[in-house]
Amino acid sequence: MKEAWTREGVKVWTPIVLDLASDPYIMLSEAEKHRYFSEQGYLVVRGIVPRDICGKVIETYQKTCKLAELAKRSAEGESDFVGNDHLVREIFLRHGANHPYQTLEEACKTSVNHPALREEVSNLLGPDFASDAFIYFDSSRGSRTHRDIDPYQPGDFVGAWIALRDISHESARFFVCPKSHMLEIPRFVVDLFHRDTAKIPRPQLRKNGYQRYSSGEYERAISKFAVDQGLEFRAPIINAGDVVFFNNKLIHGSLFVADPHFPRDSIITFYSR
């Protein structure tokens, strides 16, 4: 085990080597997966997307948009989001939208819509579900502790974080607070979220994401709430082709990384009924 921290300074002990003999996810039956997800608020499914597909998505990203995005964002003065030739700011792709990276979108769909992945989503949500957007990550300094509360998208949905490469300890590993989806967040914490989002025009919120404009008060408050409730901060080992499914009400984030030198190629999407 090795220590790491969240963006809010919570220490998290992370495993370094995947021990298949003791891995809590790999031997779950379909019924057990559904029960685990319902109780814990998340589920890791190993090797659901073939590694060759993952590699082709990364290759497409590097050939079609990585250099262009690095140059564009540096020119726009966003050098704070670029480190060691890795794009730290995510790329948001909405299905059918007019954007310059249609080739990358089509490549991402080969993983997001992979039959084995869709079968797992069906097991969690039922047969009727849809996904209208996804986000590509090259690298990261870590995302703040949060819940995926979207005031413009009411109702429940399931997030899927798809690893396109082995995610090392140094690569802002995804973390969750198990069972936090069953807790009611204090009103003042929710109000902090709505106070920030109310200041952001809806198209800008959709295009660039909430956390870019957040004051950080909401994330610090929800992190403190999780600590005060005695919740565990868990960061499982995630390798290429693994998928972390999580309830939209689950408290989660990614671990802090001071140097975004290590790649974190991955996709996140959301499925709703």
Side-chain angles (χ1 to χ4, degrees):
M1 302 286 281
K2 192 172 182 179
E3 64 182 22
W5 287 266
T6 69
R7 288 282 296 270
E8 293 73 33
V10 178
K11 182 184 290 188
V12 182
W13 288 100
T14 62
I16 303 301
V17 179
L18 177 60
D19 181 5
L20 295 179
S22 61
D23 184 71
Y25 317 107
I26 198 167
M27 299 303 293
L28 294 175
S29 67
E30 292 306 310
E32 289 170 334
K33 287 178 183 178
H34 191 280
R35 183 166 59 251
Y36 188 97
F37 181 82
S38 297
E39 294 175 354
Q40 301 291 324
Y42 83 102
L43 173 70
V44 177
V45 181
R46 300 289 183 197
I48 192 170
V49 179
R51 279 182 174 263
D52 62 329
I53 290 180
C54 295
K56 288 177 182 177
V57 177
I58 295 174
E59 182 181 5
T60 300
Y61 163 70
Q62 292 175 339
K63 287 183 176 179
T64 62
C65 65
K66 179 174 182 175
L67 293 180
E69 276 292 306
L70 287 168
K72 173 188 171 185
R73 299 188 187 204
S74 294
E76 292 175 350
E78 295 191 25
S79 58
D80 181 52
F81 301 128
V82 179
N84 298 312
D85 297 325
H86 289 296
L87 186 67
V88 180
R89 178 59 55 195
E90 65 273 10
I91 297 176
F92 187 85
L93 301 168
R94 177 171 294 280
H95 301 333
N98 183 20
H99 58 76
Y101 301 131
Q102 297 293 336
T103 303
L104 176 60
E105 178 181 336
E106 292 304 314
C108 289
K109 286 180 181 178
T110 62
S111 60
V112 171
N113 293 328
H114 190 274
L117 192 154
R118 292 184 65 84
E119 183 177 343
E120 294 291 346
V121 177
S122 180
N123 182 46
L124 299 176
L125 275 179
D128 298 320
F129 60 87
S131 170
D132 69 345
F134 40 82
I135 304 169
Y136 191 99
F137 296 92
D138 176 347
S139 184
S140 176
R141 289 194 177 96
S143 63
R144 296 165 176 168
T145 305
H146 66 285
R147 265 182 171 178
D148 287 318
I149 306 171
D150 187 343
Y152 304 113
Q153 185 177 350
D156 292 338
F157 55 92
V158 171
W161 191 77
I162 307 163
L164 300 176
R165 65 167 70 243
D166 295 350
I167 307 300
S168 71
H169 173 81
E170 296 84 4
S171 300
R173 191 181 290 174
F174 194 89
F175 73 81
V176 298
C177 293
K179 301 184 179 181
S180 59
H181 64 303
M182 296 186 289
L183 299 178
E184 183 176 352
I185 301 296
R187 178 70 192 201
F188 82 92
V189 178
V190 178
D191 287 345
L192 288 174
F193 173 86
H194 287 284
R195 185 191 67 184
D196 278 358
T197 55
K199 300 175 184 177
I200 309 170
R202 181 172 176 176
Q204 200 169 27
L205 178 64
R206 287 291 196 186
K207 178 181 178 182
N208 295 316
Y210 158 70
Q211 290 202 16
R212 179 172 178 178
Y213 302 98
S214 168
S215 66
E217 291 183 67
Y218 160 70
E219 293 87 350
R220 287 190 291 272
I222 200 168
S223 177
K224 184 178 185 302
F225 169 76
V227 172
D228 290 346
Q229 292 293 313
L231 296 176
E232 177 187 357
F233 285 68
R234 185 181 298 171
I237 292 178
I238 303 297
N239 292 324
D242 295 347
V243 177
V244 183
F245 295 101
F246 58 97
N247 186 294
N248 66 301
K249 296 177 183 177
L250 189 77
I251 297 174
H252 65 281
S254 58
L255 299 174
F256 174 72
V257 175
D259 180 4
H261 172 73
F262 296 91
R264 184 183 180 256
D265 292 88
S266 53
I267 303 167
I268 193 167
T269 190
F270 300 94
Y271 300 94
S272 58
R273 284 188 281 249

